[in-house]
């Protein structure tokens, strides 16, 4: 006996609402299109359901006794943020608060460099020479490390927060050529005398990795205080060289991102600094949702 089959197709575009077939997606996803294809073959019924959310498409397959459902949903576009500021402007503190709330991957160019220095690699030795002079490390050393870190799966899936990079127009240009363009470029602005005081009093606990300040955030015990170390470039002489280099280059970097730059007053308490950043990131997130909704309309 010849096999019999039938087929029907239902396709629609939606801005909001629930699809007609059950599917799996995050609560923040917004439906862009939905299509259902049902057919029968050899007396067995099948249903193919497609649902697209935002821009990225993923699929999962579930089966029942009499039918098969192919479900596709999409992951929202991740945030891409850069944060800049002079040494001791509070980037580390704000990055911790941002990543805690928004789940972005924190990538600090300085940490990548220090890891190279600690490893004793040839690049690390070259980088240390420049850093001890308060100069920028050449692009060929840094840019590939940053690029490789941005391309790792966690950065691509969760979004990234790039801390302390780019520091020059040439670095910003190199990132753009690799296809890395931020949604927002945050600049922390702090008075120079405050910056020098913050840097000179800064200490590192080599056991826990925690950063202390002899005046503003002293160690909890005498035992911790006895083992604290000072970074080789955290002296007054070197920080003034670093500040001079920073000021010479920051304006050129800002020219690359002037349309997406947020200047933040970093002289106020850290909670007030974060409030300024949080407002901007919340607005950015809402704007992205509205943009995706307009595309679906």
């Amino acid at each position: 006996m010849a096999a019999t089959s039938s087929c029907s197709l239902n396709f629609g575009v939606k801005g909001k609402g629930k699809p007609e077939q059950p599917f799996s997606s995050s609560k923040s996803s917004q439906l862009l299109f939905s299509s259902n294809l049902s057919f029968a073959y050899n007396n067995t019924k099948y249903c193919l359901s497609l649902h697209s959310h935002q821009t990225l498409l993923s699929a999962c397959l579930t089966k029942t006794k009499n039918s098969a459902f192919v479900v596709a949903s999409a992951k929202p576009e991740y945030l891409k943020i850069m944060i800049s500021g002079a040494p001791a402007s509070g980037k580390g503190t704000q990055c911790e608060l941002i990543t805690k709330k928004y789940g972005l991957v924190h990538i600090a160019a300085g940490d990548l460099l220090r890891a190279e220095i600690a490893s004793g690699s040839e690049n690390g030795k070259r980088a240390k020479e420049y850093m001890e002079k308060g100069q920028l490390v050449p692009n060929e050393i840094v840019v590939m490390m940053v690029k490789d870190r941005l391309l790792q799966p966690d950065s691509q899936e969760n979004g990234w927060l790039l801390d302390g990079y780019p520091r020059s127009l040439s670095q910003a240009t190199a990132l753009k050529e690799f296809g890395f363009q931020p949604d927002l470029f945050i600049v922390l602005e702090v008075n120079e005398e405050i910056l020098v005081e913050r840097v000179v009093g800064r200490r590192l606990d080599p056991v826990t990795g925690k950063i202390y300040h002899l005046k503003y955030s002293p160690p909890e015990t005498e035992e911790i205080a006895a083992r604290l170390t000072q970074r080789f470039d955290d002296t007054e002489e070197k920080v003034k060289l670093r500040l001079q280099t920073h000021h010479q280059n920051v304006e050129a970097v800002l020219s690359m991102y002037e349309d997406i730059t947020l200047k933040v007053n970093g002289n106020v308490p850290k909670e007030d600094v974060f409030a300024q950043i949080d407002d901007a990131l919340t607005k950015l997130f809402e704007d992205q949702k509205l943009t995706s909704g307009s595309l679906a309309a």
Side-chain angles (χ1 to χ4, degrees):
M1 182 180 292
T4 60
S5 64
S6 63
C7 178
S8 64
L9 174 66
N10 176 29
F11 179 84
V13 178
K14 303 179 181 180
K16 294 182 179 179
K18 297 181 179 179
E20 296 174 3
Q21 296 293 341
F23 67 102
S24 174
S25 70
S26 65
K27 292 181 179 179
S28 60
S29 297
Q30 188 166 12
L31 187 63
L32 297 186
F33 73 80
S34 171
S35 69
N36 297 307
L37 173 64
S38 60
F39 60 94
Y41 181 76
N42 281 346
N43 297 321
T44 302
K45 292 183 179 180
Y46 298 91
C47 180
L48 175 65
S49 297
L50 298 176
H51 306 286
S52 174
H53 292 252
Q54 307 273 342
T55 57
L56 302 178
L57 190 65
S58 60
C60 61
L61 175 65
T62 58
K63 294 183 178 180
T64 64
K65 184 176 180 180
N66 297 317
S67 62
F69 294 94
V70 179
V71 178
S73 63
K75 183 178 179 180
E77 178 111 8
Y78 55 78
L79 290 176
K80 304 177 289 294
I81 308 299
M82 292 179 179
I83 186 167
S84 178
S89 59
K91 295 192 305 295
T93 298
Q94 295 307 314
C95 286
E96 183 178 349
L97 295 172
I98 293 169
T99 54
K100 183 178 180 180
K101 178 168 183 178
Y102 292 93
L104 306 180
V105 175
H106 178 206
I107 302 173
D111 289 345
L112 296 177
L113 278 171
R114 282 185 282 275
E116 285 292 312
I117 293 173
S119 71
S121 67
E122 189 61 34
N123 277 341
K125 292 176 182 178
R126 290 178 60 201
K128 185 175 181 179
E129 292 178 2
Y130 285 94
M131 293 173 71
E132 285 181 335
K133 297 175 183 177
Q135 299 174 355
L136 290 175
V137 179
N139 287 346
E140 62 267 21
I141 297 177
V142 187
V143 68
M144 296 308 294
M145 289 190 295
V146 173
K147 178 182 78 73
D148 291 344
R149 187 64 187 89
L150 289 172
L151 288 174
Q152 288 185 16
D154 59 344
S155 302
Q156 292 294 302
E157 293 171 5
N158 302 311
W160 44 262
L161 173 64
L162 186 54
D163 174 4
Y165 194 91
R167 295 184 181 181
S168 69
L169 181 59
S170 59
Q171 292 174 352
T173 301
L175 281 183
K176 185 176 181 180
E177 290 174 350
F178 282 123
F180 298 111
Q181 177 69 15
D183 300 311
L184 188 67
F185 187 80
I186 301 169
V187 180
L188 301 180
E189 298 184 318
V190 183
N191 295 338
E192 186 164 323
E193 58 270 21
I194 296 177
L195 293 172
V196 172
E197 183 182 31
R198 288 180 181 177
V199 170
V200 173
R202 190 163 57 185
R203 296 293 185 274
L204 169 69
D205 184 345
V207 175
T208 64
K210 184 176 179 180
I211 300 294
Y212 292 92
H213 192 280
L214 298 181
K215 178 179 178 181
Y216 300 112
S217 180
E220 296 88 351
T221 66
E222 291 290 337
E223 179 184 358
I224 296 175
R227 68 181 186 233
L228 295 182
T229 62
Q230 186 178 32
R231 245 172 55 178
F232 68 86
D233 54 348
D234 274 357
T235 63
E236 183 172 352
E237 179 183 6
K238 287 189 173 64
V239 74
K240 286 185 176 180
L241 286 173
R242 289 159 65 195
L243 289 174
Q244 182 179 359
T245 301
H246 170 77
H247 294 318
Q248 288 173 350
N249 289 280
V250 67
E251 289 303 322
V253 175
L254 289 177
S255 68
M256 177 75 77
Y257 304 116
E258 58 183 350
D259 294 335
I260 54 170
T261 294
L262 171 69
K263 293 185 178 181
V264 175
N265 178 10
N267 296 305
V268 298
K270 62 182 181 181
E271 295 83 5
D272 296 334
V273 175
F274 180 65
Q276 300 172 65
I277 296 172
D278 191 29
D279 286 345
L281 292 182
T282 298
K283 184 178 185 301
L284 178 62
F285 184 74
E286 292 299 323
D287 287 347
Q288 286 191 348
K289 287 172 64 177
L290 288 173
T291 300
S292 65
S294 65
L295 290 174

